[in-house]
Amino acid sequence: MAETISLKTNVELGVVPTHIKFVGGLVPDDNGRLPRGEDGQLLVVSEMAKLTAASPVKIQSAQVTAFPGVDAGDTDDLMTSLRALDLEVHIIMMVGGADPMNPDDEDAVVEMLVSGIEVAKKYGITQIASTSIEAWMQPGATPKTGADFEAAVAQNVKVHCRAAREADVANSCVKNWHIEFLRGGEFQTFTDIQKCWEFVKAANAELGTKFFKIMVDAAHCGDSTLNIPENEALIAEIAESDEMGMFHASAKTTRGCLSTDDGWVGALLAAAALTGKLEYVFVELFHHEDPALEGLRNLDPGHGLDTTDGRTYSEAVLDGVESVARRLNNLVLRGMLKN
């Protein structure tokens, strides 16, 4: 499809291709090899090629998962092929099998984070992200409050600042590390933007620079206990402190078509735009049958709903890209976003 929408802002518009599924799409096998199609092409690359060719607006970037232990040749193929599609590449560093809030797991978490940062350094990537402040879907875990919360923040600061220093990010291409909080049930403690900010503020104070940013994910904000006005107010404060990072346009609960988000994407995107510090926006959908997300479907059956309404997931993502592009252009039109 010829591009029919011209983006009227310098905000970068991209896609997180999680809709191809973690299992069978993103997660490496036991040998560290990434999934490929029958044609031998990496599935992430095939999907991004399809999206960029069909999108009515230019897709400028892809934010892709970076797992520890991935085959070096596959990583090189991934980075080279995505850039051949004229895409900026950003990575989400994946951490598993260890609890960043537990001092006994500190070395393991740091090792995984450093490996992700080294990938970014090797390929000249400036923006990295992670959900590395808490272990995902821990059975029996309970929210940490009071002194326990303060200890969790302190341990996270220790882990993340240690990883940043060991990887020497201060003398590297990496400019910012975007921290993503998750909804209650996925996480137990860092479950809203305010709690995430407590970590980011403390980590930046430790480093003496605003290196860490908060990822504003509309879905996780929508599934938190804070309402839209509370999130809007915090976004303004966080941006004023120069600690607001990337924006994920993703629908709460279903994580499917953006038509299911009940206004959160529109409201929070406008709030982020009004700060004057919005730089990156990504459209992110998840597949409702992804085997890796069975625990999330058990947590909330709304996550298992098929919201495609007769479309392929690629088509649903493209609808999201078009919707977000129109929103950005109209924010410019109304003087709410710089162009």
Side-chain angles (χ1 to χ4, degrees), residues 14-303:
V15 167
V16 187
T18 42
H19 60 282
I20 68 172
K21 300 182 184 178
F22 282 93
V23 173
L26 300 172
V27 177
D29 65 18
D30 291 341
N31 296 316
R33 306 307 299 266
L34 295 173
R36 294 179 182 269
E38 292 182 0
D39 60 358
Q41 189 172 54
L42 293 170
L43 292 182
V44 173
V45 174
S46 298
E47 180 62 15
M48 290 309 304
K50 181 194 301 182
L51 295 179
T52 54
S55 179
V57 61
K58 179 175 173 53
I59 296 173
Q60 297 165 289
S61 57
Q63 188 177 35
V64 296
T65 50
F67 290 88
V70 171
D71 178 82
D74 280 4
T75 297
D76 192 65
D77 187 4
L78 177 65
M79 299 298 171
T80 303
S81 298
L82 289 175
R83 285 174 171 167
L85 296 172
D86 193 28
L87 293 167
E88 286 292 325
V89 181
H90 309 283
I91 62 170
I92 306 173
M93 304 184 298
M94 306 302 288
V95 173
D99 181 0
M101 298 188 291
N102 184 349
D104 292 340
D105 288 349
E106 179 177 324
D107 290 345
V109 177
V110 169
E111 182 180 359
M112 287 184 276
L113 291 173
V114 169
S115 73
I117 298 170
E118 292 298 335
V119 169
K121 288 167 59 179
K122 181 176 180 180
Y123 293 98
I125 293 169
T126 63
Q127 308 296 320
I128 61 176
S130 66
T131 58
S132 53
I133 50 176
E134 189 168 340
W136 187 68
M137 299 284 289
Q138 289 299 294
T142 55
K144 296 183 185 296
T145 59
D148 289 338
F149 178 78
E150 292 174 7
V153 169
Q155 182 59 29
N156 265 312
V157 169
K158 187 178 180 184
V159 164
H160 289 77
C161 290
R162 179 181 155 191
R165 288 170 174 143
E166 288 188 9
D168 195 24
V169 294
N171 297 302
S172 77
C173 58
V174 181
K175 302 304 180 188
N176 293 115
W177 185 342
H178 304 257
I179 301 294
E180 182 176 8
F181 67 92
L182 301 182
R183 61 173 293 174
E186 291 189 78
F187 280 180
Q188 305 302 325
T189 296
F190 293 97
T191 53
D192 64 42
I193 198 168
Q194 176 70 67
K195 293 170 184 173
C196 186
W197 194 19
E198 295 304 314
F199 159 71
V200 167
K201 281 189 288 189
N204 284 335
E206 169 65 22
L207 285 183
T209 179
K210 298 298 175 74
F211 177 63
F212 290 99
K213 308 283 186 180
I214 295 175
M215 182 187 293
V216 180
D217 185 302
H220 298 313
C221 290
D223 282 318
S224 77
T225 59
L226 303 180
N227 60 29
I228 286 178
E230 289 168 330
N231 275 280
E232 290 171 326
L234 282 163
I235 286 169
E237 287 185 58
I238 291 164
E240 179 66 25
S241 180
D242 198 24
E243 291 169 318
M244 184 186 80
M246 297 173 166
F247 186 95
H248 274 188
S250 194
K252 72 184 186 73
T253 308
T254 69
R255 308 309 302 276
C257 179
L258 298 194
S259 65
T260 66
D261 82 320
D262 300 331
W264 283 84
V265 170
L268 300 194
L269 185 60
L274 280 168
T275 69
K277 295 183 178 179
L278 179 64
E279 296 183 81
Y280 305 93
V281 176
F282 295 92
V283 173
E284 181 185 43
L285 275 64
F286 289 82
H287 197 294
H288 69 287
E289 294 179 327
D290 189 341
L293 302 178
E294 181 180 359
L296 192 46
R297 292 191 292 275
N298 293 337
L299 173 70
D300 189 333
H303 190 81

Side-chain angles (χ1 to χ4, degrees), residues 314-333:
S314 299
E315 290 167 340
V317 168
L318 288 174
D319 282 350
V321 170
E322 179 174 357
S323 170
V324 171
R326 298 287 190 195
R327 288 184 182 279
L328 291 171
N329 281 349
N330 282 310
L331 286 166
V332 172
L333 178 69

